[in-house]
Amino acid sequence: MKVIICGAGQVGWQIARHLSSEKNDVTVVDNNPELVARATETLDVQGITGFASYPDVLDRAGARDADMIIAATHSDEVNMVTCQVAHSAFSVPRKIARLRSQSYLTAIYSDLYRRDHMPIDVVISPEKEVAEAALQRLADPAAFDTENFLSGQAQLLGIQLEEDCPVLNTPLRQLTELFSTLRAVVVAVRREGNIFAPDPNDQLFDGDQVYVCAHREDVPRTMEIFGKTQSKQERVVIIGGGNVGLAVAQALETRTERIRAKMIEKNRTIAERAANLLERTIVLHGDGLSADLLNEAGIKRADAVLCVTDDDKTNLLAAVRAKAEGCPMAIALVNDPTLVPLMEPLNVDAYINPRATTVSSILRHIRHGRVRQIYSIGDAEAEVIEAQVLSTSPISGQRIRDMNFPEGVLVGAIQKGQKIVRPEGGTRIEEGDIIVIFALAADVPEVERLLQVSVDFF
């Protein structure tokens, strides 16, 4: 597949990294020569320096025979014009644009992106994706990472194991026997910085981070087995009143269960805008790092603090300050993956990675076969893929134990009709089943091959 990626920033580079590693023909376009040089020097991609919306630049990038264009520059308008030029001048079949401005995303204007208006096939909203991720973190506060699969019927949980975990030093095979009715599978373990797919004889140790795929109804029991207690979130303090913080507060206001939210925003204009748009949320103007303001917001009585300003370091420091003032749960938005190892020593409970959520959204629309959902783990170290099995797939009709999966691949859940099934060696994968698979980054191409439909299917 020939893909042009416009924008070589964090998201563009990460998408290029994924696609180039899977032997796609990738060209990166950016007006910053340093970003283009970084991409071409570290990845197997071609680079073009120039403005992505210029027809001659797209022509040099190979738009005449491109299969897809991904517009992920920092400008909504450049992304939109790039898709228009790609459609009108070069007839590029598939166009994906990242749009940030909420005005472009308002539902009443959704007709704007029709083929005969602004021909964008897929619109990705980072702020919307991040706000949804924040709400998921609040819903499962004892997990440091979480994502929904199978239309919300299954959930991926990232759990930090501590010395009081009841199942430490127990082989996973034995866990399956002890909790035979538990619809949950440990699909990955991160130990001393390395992530791997465990085998049934592996044990879990203090300090491990495990990723568990669990049936939604079994999440509380799963968390209890791994030594975590779920607490109800009734009071939340949001630090940052921009698009992400505002979207989270608006979502909390629409929930049937009453959640008391307070917001702190440093910029007066943004604080006034949030106050005008929110009905029940109290908005305070000031610095979220101020202990006095945190106490005015009731941080000691809050169940969680959500730090979602546009600055990583501010978010981390605000989370630390809130914990020091007595808040039991702190969640921070962190763009820079090199800061993630600081979470544990700083006692920050969970983080949200905007880049990972945006990359996951884009990959969902790129993968072959009937891929329905993708979640990127860590610094693009692994993926959790939800896909439908078609009759032309090599795994259709096979039992799991007979599948030629690489060592870094595990099946986490299966949906057969309306029923969610815990995968076992004797489980047969059939046409129409929807499966959730964990795969290390190096094994994703093989997973794609096993899921991919043949050409004659079309």
Side-chain angles (χ1 to χ4, degrees):
M1 182 167 62
K2 184 169 184 177
V3 183
I4 299 173
I5 300 172
C6 302
Q10 290 184 343
V11 169
W13 187 88
Q14 203 64 261
I15 292 294
R17 174 182 168 183
H18 276 275
L19 296 183
S20 62
S21 69
E22 296 161 17
K23 309 306 179 187
N24 292 290
D25 182 356
V26 178
T27 301
V28 174
V29 179
D30 201 290
N31 66 333
N32 185 329
E34 293 180 0
L35 292 179
V36 173
R38 183 187 71 151
T40 55
E41 290 169 5
T42 57
L43 305 173
D44 183 17
V45 301
Q46 301 175 67
I48 299 291
T49 301
F51 289 93
S53 56
Y54 289 5
D56 62 316
V57 173
L58 287 181
D59 198 2
R60 283 193 289 131
R64 293 186 185 278
D65 58 350
D67 299 297
M68 178 184 297
I69 190 162
I70 301 170
T73 74
H74 292 295
S75 168
D76 287 357
E77 289 72 24
V78 169
N79 293 340
M80 295 168 78
V81 172
T82 298
C83 289
Q84 181 70 68
V85 172
H87 173 78
S88 301
F90 303 107
S91 301
V92 177
R94 192 154 179 80
K95 298 158 290 292
I96 298 175
R98 179 177 68 172
L99 301 181
R100 293 179 179 276
S101 173
Q102 297 305 297
S103 181
Y104 289 133
L105 302 169
T106 304
I108 60 174
Y109 302 128
S110 59
D111 194 49
L112 176 65
Y113 306 111
R114 276 174 31 191
R115 200 166 188 79
D116 52 347
H117 291 166
M118 183 69 68
I120 301 174
D121 301 297
V122 179
V123 172
I124 303 295
S125 166
E127 280 79 7
K128 180 182 177 183
E129 302 284 345
V130 171
E132 290 176 356
L135 290 166
Q136 287 186 21
R137 298 293 186 281
L138 288 172
D140 295 288
F144 68 83
D145 199 359
T146 179
E147 179 67 19
N148 289 329
F149 289 91
L150 303 178
S151 301
Q153 296 183 82
Q155 193 165 359
L156 180 73
L157 301 164
I159 306 172
Q160 176 76 43
L161 301 189
E162 299 171 355
E163 60 182 1
D164 59 350
C165 174
V167 294
L168 293 183
N169 307 313
T170 306
L172 293 178
R173 186 189 304 277
Q174 192 172 334
L175 284 183
T176 303
E177 296 168 357
L178 288 171
F179 308 103
S180 58
T181 61
L182 185 72
R183 291 166 294 180
V185 176
V186 177
V187 294
V189 178
R190 186 189 297 279
R191 182 175 296 155
E192 297 178 350
N194 297 315
I195 192 167
F196 62 93
D199 66 41
N201 295 317
D202 280 326
Q203 300 178 29
L204 301 177
F205 302 114
D206 179 20
D208 284 354
Q209 291 182 340
V210 298
Y211 285 88
V212 183
C213 192
H215 191 292
R216 182 69 206 184
E217 294 175 358
D218 290 355
V219 166
R221 187 177 169 211
T222 300
M223 298 300 286
E224 183 181 344
I225 287 170
F226 287 98
K228 302 294 181 181
T229 56
Q230 295 282 72
S231 58
K232 192 174 181 181
Q233 306 297 298
E234 296 179 338
R235 293 181 174 87
V236 177
V237 175
I238 302 169
I239 299 178
N243 288 335
V244 174
L246 180 61
V248 170
Q250 288 175 324
L252 292 177
E253 287 189 345
T254 61
R255 291 192 172 180
T256 52
E257 67 274 20
R258 182 66 183 271
I259 297 178
R260 299 177 182 177
K262 293 183 180 179
M263 177 184 288
I264 300 174
E265 169 55 49
K266 192 173 184 179
N267 182 292
R268 176 174 289 277
T269 302
I270 295 175
E272 290 176 349
R273 172 176 173 265
N276 290 332
L277 293 173
L278 295 168
E279 296 179 4
R280 298 200 305 266
T281 305
I282 297 173
V283 180
L284 303 175
H285 171 236
D287 190 348
L289 293 174
S290 165
D292 290 339
L293 194 57
L294 285 170
N295 284 314
E296 184 181 342
I299 199 69
K300 287 182 172 64
R301 300 187 304 278
D303 297 302
V305 63
L306 183 64
C307 307
V308 289
T309 75
D310 57 4
D311 183 79
D312 287 357
K313 297 179 180 64
T314 297
N315 293 334
L316 286 174
L317 288 173
V320 172
R321 173 57 63 85
K323 293 275 285 195
E325 293 298 320
C327 185
M329 173 76 183
I331 304 169
L333 187 150
V334 179
N335 287 277
D336 184 353
T338 64
L339 295 176
V340 172
L342 296 176
M343 298 289 122
E344 187 176 354
L346 290 175
N347 197 26
V348 178
D349 301 280
Y351 68 93
I352 305 159
N353 185 339
R355 182 179 69 178
T357 57
T358 305
V359 168
S360 296
S361 299
I362 293 175
L363 288 176
R364 192 182 311 148
H365 300 283
I366 294 175
R367 293 285 183 235
H368 299 293
R370 289 288 182 87
V371 173
R372 295 156 46 107
Q373 166 80 331
I374 284 181
Y375 187 62
S376 180
I377 290 179
D379 190 16
E381 300 157 275
E383 293 179 16
V384 180
I385 303 169
E386 175 188 323
Q388 186 174 27
V389 178
L390 303 174
S391 59
T392 48
S393 167
I395 64 175
S396 179
Q398 290 194 44
R399 298 186 187 277
I400 290 178
R401 68 165 66 97
D402 299 326
M403 293 178 186
N404 192 24
F405 279 141
E407 287 186 8
V409 176
L410 280 178
V411 179
I414 306 169
Q415 181 176 334
K416 291 179 173 291
Q418 299 301 313
K419 187 177 180 182
I420 308 300
V421 178
R422 183 176 71 175
E424 297 177 352
T427 306
R428 189 182 297 277
I429 303 296
E430 299 169 315
E431 177 187 356
D433 288 353
I434 301 170
I435 58 175
V436 178
I437 296 178
F438 168 86
L440 294 175
D443 297 319
V444 168
E446 177 62 12
V447 171
E448 273 203 297
R449 187 191 71 79
L450 294 171
L451 295 173
Q452 193 171 11
V453 296
S454 62
V455 175
D456 60 8
F457 181 85
F458 296 98

PDB file of all heavy atoms in Angstrom, residues 214-227:
ATOM      1  N   ALA A 214     -10.756  -8.601  30.056  1.00  0.00           N
ATOM      2  CA  ALA A 214     -11.801  -9.158  30.917  1.00  0.00           C
ATOM      3  C   ALA A 214     -13.190  -8.800  30.403  1.00  0.00           C
ATOM      4  O   ALA A 214     -13.395  -7.734  29.815  1.00  0.00           O
ATOM      5  CB  ALA A 214     -11.636  -8.654  32.344  1.00  0.00           C
ATOM      6  N   HIS A 215     -14.141  -9.708  30.645  1.00  0.00           N
ATOM      7  CA  HIS A 215     -15.552  -9.407  30.390  1.00  0.00           C
ATOM      8  C   HIS A 215     -15.969  -8.262  31.304  1.00  0.00           C
ATOM      9  O   HIS A 215     -15.575  -8.209  32.470  1.00  0.00           O
ATOM     10  CB  HIS A 215     -16.395 -10.643  30.668  1.00  0.00           C
ATOM     11  CG  HIS A 215     -17.815 -10.535  30.199  1.00  0.00           C
ATOM     12  ND1 HIS A 215     -18.735  -9.665  30.772  1.00  0.00           N
ATOM     13  CD2 HIS A 215     -18.492 -11.172  29.204  1.00  0.00           C
ATOM     14  CE1 HIS A 215     -19.893  -9.783  30.160  1.00  0.00           C
ATOM     15  NE2 HIS A 215     -19.773 -10.691  29.204  1.00  0.00           N
ATOM     16  N   ARG A 216     -16.755  -7.348  30.778  1.00  0.00           N
ATOM     17  CA  ARG A 216     -17.122  -6.155  31.549  1.00  0.00           C
ATOM     18  C   ARG A 216     -17.740  -6.524  32.907  1.00  0.00           C
ATOM     19  O   ARG A 216     -17.443  -5.903  33.929  1.00  0.00           O
ATOM     20  CB  ARG A 216     -18.115  -5.311  30.742  1.00  0.00           C
ATOM     21  CG  ARG A 216     -18.532  -4.010  31.423  1.00  0.00           C
ATOM     22  CD  ARG A 216     -17.384  -3.028  31.469  1.00  0.00           C
ATOM     23  NE  ARG A 216     -17.501  -2.085  32.563  1.00  0.00           N
ATOM     24  CZ  ARG A 216     -16.676  -1.085  32.778  1.00  0.00           C
ATOM     25  NH1 ARG A 216     -15.652  -0.901  31.976  1.00  0.00           N
ATOM     26  NH2 ARG A 216     -16.834  -0.266  33.783  1.00  0.00           N
ATOM     27  N   GLU A 217     -18.582  -7.553  32.919  1.00  0.00           N
ATOM     28  CA  GLU A 217     -19.226  -7.952  34.180  1.00  0.00           C
ATOM     29  C   GLU A 217     -18.222  -8.518  35.184  1.00  0.00           C
ATOM     30  O   GLU A 217     -18.483  -8.524  36.390  1.00  0.00           O
ATOM     31  CB  GLU A 217     -20.317  -8.986  33.895  1.00  0.00           C
ATOM     32  CG  GLU A 217     -21.487  -8.436  33.078  1.00  0.00           C
ATOM     33  CD  GLU A 217     -22.476  -9.530  32.718  1.00  0.00           C
ATOM     34  OE1 GLU A 217     -22.223 -10.705  33.073  1.00  0.00           O
ATOM     35  OE2 GLU A 217     -23.492  -9.217  32.067  1.00  0.00           O
ATOM     36  N   ASP A 218     -17.072  -9.009  34.695  1.00  0.00           N
ATOM     37  CA  ASP A 218     -16.078  -9.630  35.574  1.00  0.00           C
ATOM     38  C   ASP A 218     -14.955  -8.681  35.968  1.00  0.00           C
ATOM     39  O   ASP A 218     -14.004  -9.099  36.640  1.00  0.00           O
ATOM     40  CB  ASP A 218     -15.481 -10.869  34.893  1.00  0.00           C
ATOM     41  CG  ASP A 218     -16.484 -12.009  34.796  1.00  0.00           C
ATOM     42  OD1 ASP A 218     -17.587 -11.852  35.347  1.00  0.00           O
ATOM     43  OD2 ASP A 218     -16.175 -13.036  34.170  1.00  0.00           O
ATOM     44  N   VAL A 219     -15.043  -7.401  35.560  1.00  0.00           N
ATOM     45  CA  VAL A 219     -13.983  -6.443  35.883  1.00  0.00           C
ATOM     46  C   VAL A 219     -13.798  -6.273  37.392  1.00  0.00           C
ATOM     47  O   VAL A 219     -12.665  -6.348  37.893  1.00  0.00           O
ATOM     48  CB  VAL A 219     -14.239  -5.087  35.193  1.00  0.00           C
ATOM     49  CG1 VAL A 219     -13.340  -3.993  35.784  1.00  0.00           C
ATOM     50  CG2 VAL A 219     -13.994  -5.200  33.694  1.00  0.00           C
ATOM     51  N   PRO A 220     -14.870  -6.058  38.199  1.00  0.00           N
ATOM     52  CA  PRO A 220     -14.663  -5.906  39.645  1.00  0.00           C
ATOM     53  C   PRO A 220     -13.978  -7.117  40.277  1.00  0.00           C
ATOM     54  O   PRO A 220     -13.071  -6.964  41.103  1.00  0.00           O
ATOM     55  CB  PRO A 220     -16.090  -5.722  40.191  1.00  0.00           C
ATOM     56  CG  PRO A 220     -16.876  -5.181  39.032  1.00  0.00           C
ATOM     57  CD  PRO A 220     -16.295  -5.845  37.827  1.00  0.00           C
ATOM     58  N   ARG A 221     -14.397  -8.321  39.889  1.00  0.00           N
ATOM     59  CA  ARG A 221     -13.795  -9.530  40.439  1.00  0.00           C
ATOM     60  C   ARG A 221     -12.334  -9.664  39.984  1.00  0.00           C
ATOM     61  O   ARG A 221     -11.463 -10.065  40.771  1.00  0.00           O
ATOM     62  CB  ARG A 221     -14.604 -10.749  39.982  1.00  0.00           C
ATOM     63  CG  ARG A 221     -14.161 -12.047  40.641  1.00  0.00           C
ATOM     64  CD  ARG A 221     -15.038 -13.191  40.200  1.00  0.00           C
ATOM     65  NE  ARG A 221     -14.480 -14.480  40.612  1.00  0.00           N
ATOM     66  CZ  ARG A 221     -14.646 -15.601  39.942  1.00  0.00           C
ATOM     67  NH1 ARG A 221     -15.379 -15.605  38.832  1.00  0.00           N
ATOM     68  NH2 ARG A 221     -14.128 -16.728  40.366  1.00  0.00           N
ATOM     69  N   THR A 222     -12.072  -9.313  38.725  1.00  0.00           N
ATOM     70  CA  THR A 222     -10.697  -9.370  38.213  1.00  0.00           C
ATOM     71  C   THR A 222      -9.781  -8.435  38.999  1.00  0.00           C
ATOM     72  O   THR A 222      -8.680  -8.817  39.406  1.00  0.00           O
ATOM     73  CB  THR A 222     -10.678  -8.976  36.720  1.00  0.00           C
ATOM     74  OG1 THR A 222     -11.505  -9.876  35.976  1.00  0.00           O
ATOM     75  CG2 THR A 222      -9.263  -9.024  36.162  1.00  0.00           C
ATOM     76  N   MET A 223     -10.252  -7.215  39.236  1.00  0.00           N
ATOM     77  CA  MET A 223      -9.447  -6.249  39.983  1.00  0.00           C
ATOM     78  C   MET A 223      -9.191  -6.740  41.405  1.00  0.00           C
ATOM     79  O   MET A 223      -8.087  -6.595  41.944  1.00  0.00           O
ATOM     80  CB  MET A 223     -10.148  -4.890  40.014  1.00  0.00           C
ATOM     81  CG  MET A 223     -10.357  -4.262  38.646  1.00  0.00           C
ATOM     82  SD  MET A 223      -8.828  -3.966  37.741  1.00  0.00           S
ATOM     83  CE  MET A 223      -8.180  -2.562  38.632  1.00  0.00           C
ATOM     84  N   GLU A 224     -10.196  -7.367  42.006  1.00  0.00           N
ATOM     85  CA  GLU A 224     -10.052  -7.891  43.372  1.00  0.00           C
ATOM     86  C   GLU A 224      -9.018  -9.005  43.422  1.00  0.00           C
ATOM     87  O   GLU A 224      -8.193  -9.068  44.337  1.00  0.00           O
ATOM     88  CB  GLU A 224     -11.408  -8.398  43.860  1.00  0.00           C
ATOM     89  CG  GLU A 224     -11.399  -8.889  45.295  1.00  0.00           C
ATOM     90  CD  GLU A 224     -12.763  -9.398  45.740  1.00  0.00           C
ATOM     91  OE1 GLU A 224     -13.765  -9.099  45.049  1.00  0.00           O
ATOM     92  OE2 GLU A 224     -12.821 -10.094  46.766  1.00  0.00           O
ATOM     93  N   ILE A 225      -9.036  -9.884  42.402  1.00  0.00           N
ATOM     94  CA  ILE A 225      -8.084 -11.000  42.355  1.00  0.00           C
ATOM     95  C   ILE A 225      -6.650 -10.478  42.280  1.00  0.00           C
ATOM     96  O   ILE A 225      -5.721 -11.067  42.852  1.00  0.00           O
ATOM     97  CB  ILE A 225      -8.402 -11.915  41.151  1.00  0.00           C
ATOM     98  CG1 ILE A 225      -9.680 -12.720  41.451  1.00  0.00           C
ATOM     99  CG2 ILE A 225      -7.240 -12.840  40.830  1.00  0.00           C
ATOM    100  CD1 ILE A 225     -10.228 -13.462  40.258  1.00  0.00           C
ATOM    101  N   PHE A 226      -6.464  -9.340  41.594  1.00  0.00           N
ATOM    102  CA  PHE A 226      -5.126  -8.770  41.466  1.00  0.00           C
ATOM    103  C   PHE A 226      -4.820  -7.738  42.549  1.00  0.00           C
ATOM    104  O   PHE A 226      -3.880  -6.957  42.430  1.00  0.00           O
ATOM    105  CB  PHE A 226      -4.942  -8.168  40.070  1.00  0.00           C
ATOM    106  CG  PHE A 226      -4.790  -9.204  38.990  1.00  0.00           C
ATOM    107  CD1 PHE A 226      -5.876  -9.584  38.216  1.00  0.00           C
ATOM    108  CD2 PHE A 226      -3.568  -9.812  38.777  1.00  0.00           C
ATOM    109  CE1 PHE A 226      -5.738 -10.547  37.230  1.00  0.00           C
ATOM    110  CE2 PHE A 226      -3.420 -10.784  37.792  1.00  0.00           C
ATOM    111  CZ  PHE A 226      -4.509 -11.159  37.019  1.00  0.00           C
ATOM    112  N   GLY A 227      -5.639  -7.725  43.604  1.00  0.00           N
ATOM    113  CA  GLY A 227      -5.335  -6.913  44.779  1.00  0.00           C
ATOM    114  C   GLY A 227      -5.767  -5.474  44.696  1.00  0.00           C
ATOM    115  O   GLY A 227      -5.240  -4.624  45.435  1.00  0.00           O
TER     116      GLY A 227
END
